Amino acid sequence: MTIDELPTPALLIERTRFEENLARMQELAGTESVDLRPHTKTHKSVHIAGRQRELGAEGLTVARVGEAEVFAAAGFSDIRIAYEVVGRNACERLAALQSRSRMSVCVDTPEGARALSDWFASAGRKIDVLVEVDTGHGRCGVAWDGGDAIDFVQLVRGLPGLSWHGLLTHAGHSYHGPRDGNETPSQALERHAAEERDRILSLASKLAEAGIAPDVVSIGSTPTMSRFKNVSGAGPRITEIRPGNYVFNDAIQVGLATTTLEHCALTVLATVISRHRDRGGAEHVYLDSGKKTLTSDEGKLTNGYGILLYNPRTMTPLPHAAVTGLSEEHAWVQVSGGSTLQVGDRIRFVPNHACVTVDTKDTIYMVDGDEVIEEISVDARGKSA
């Protein structure tokens, strides 16, 4: 089958770029002496997770219990839920998973830790936990420099039903880009990567001084991994990295200077369904790939909702063109000076956010040039609970 035979919109993975992305991150893990525990939120595929494991990944990271259930059923035996798990239903499902896989979850509040402890202790069980640390994102996690962080770890260590293993953080603020006009995207990545590493290691060092050194110090984020260097010498080190987006990359990663367009493995194949001029004379082209295929995410350093490609083989962008708007079923494309695209033409583009885009489809297609070589199931699609 060739891509011309596929219905659109369709998601395509270019095999060579995909394999290179996997190998590059696994090589980084080896060079920096850390375990690679990839986050599956980007691909949600048992097949792709299996490929990561073959290359040397140590366990998996997921976002929700439902995703853990999919991968445990497929035989993955070490799964970390990088998320605060709350509620009886989630605890019951976690306990059921423990018969097939080693499970670990995050805690970041006394209330959440005590609730998790109460359930597992009353069931005569233990669950592995990591304390989530906020190293600058401002979302979940104990403050890396807060005076109560050590007290919280001590609380978690003393609670029945919980087995504390270490610290975990996610540098989501690395997606914010430069802090001002004097900082380049590359400099921003260097700063964010250093902050993520140094801040969590600062807390790890304080815990070690208190006699409770963490076994695991886990960091994530594809942007910061592009600039990650582990520390050397005595004292705590990063032990684990959890990037997800790196398998495909996307337009936001390109804008952040995490990677280049040539390393983007995922593209959307779309069909031109209409073209019109507005009352001001500007020409617009409409594609069959709206919000139900793409995310409405706009990166701070992206132009529109994706990067249209003139030549997908060389990853050459379509000049003077942008996806300027989305409705449910339509992508609105504007080409300065007019477009040669005609109704019925097909075009590929790199989406802004690969993770959400993949979650819109049941199947993605591995391709080699124009040839479709494999259909890959998005097994954990929609498992948001």
Side-chain angles (χ1 to χ4, degrees), residues 43-47 361-364 375-380:
H43 57 74
K44 297 192 173 185
S45 163
V46 167
H47 175 83
K361 303 299 177 198
D362 292 323
T363 303
I364 46 183
E375 293 186 18
I376 297 174
S377 174
V378 186
D379 307 280

Side-chain angles (χ1 to χ4, degrees), residues 35-40 49 53 57-62 67-68 71-81 97-105 128 130 165 216 240:
D35 292 335
L36 172 60
R37 183 185 289 270
H39 206 308
T40 63
R53 180 171 58 184
E58 297 284 346
L60 295 178
T61 305
V62 300
E67 294 172 357
F71 289 101
F76 290 87
S77 59
D78 188 354
I79 301 173
R80 178 156 294 148
I81 301 177
L97 287 172
Q98 287 180 312
S99 64
R100 291 184 289 182
S101 183
R102 180 178 181 180
M103 301 299 306
S104 55
V105 301
D128 293 346
L130 289 90
H165 285 271
V216 176
E240 175 182 280

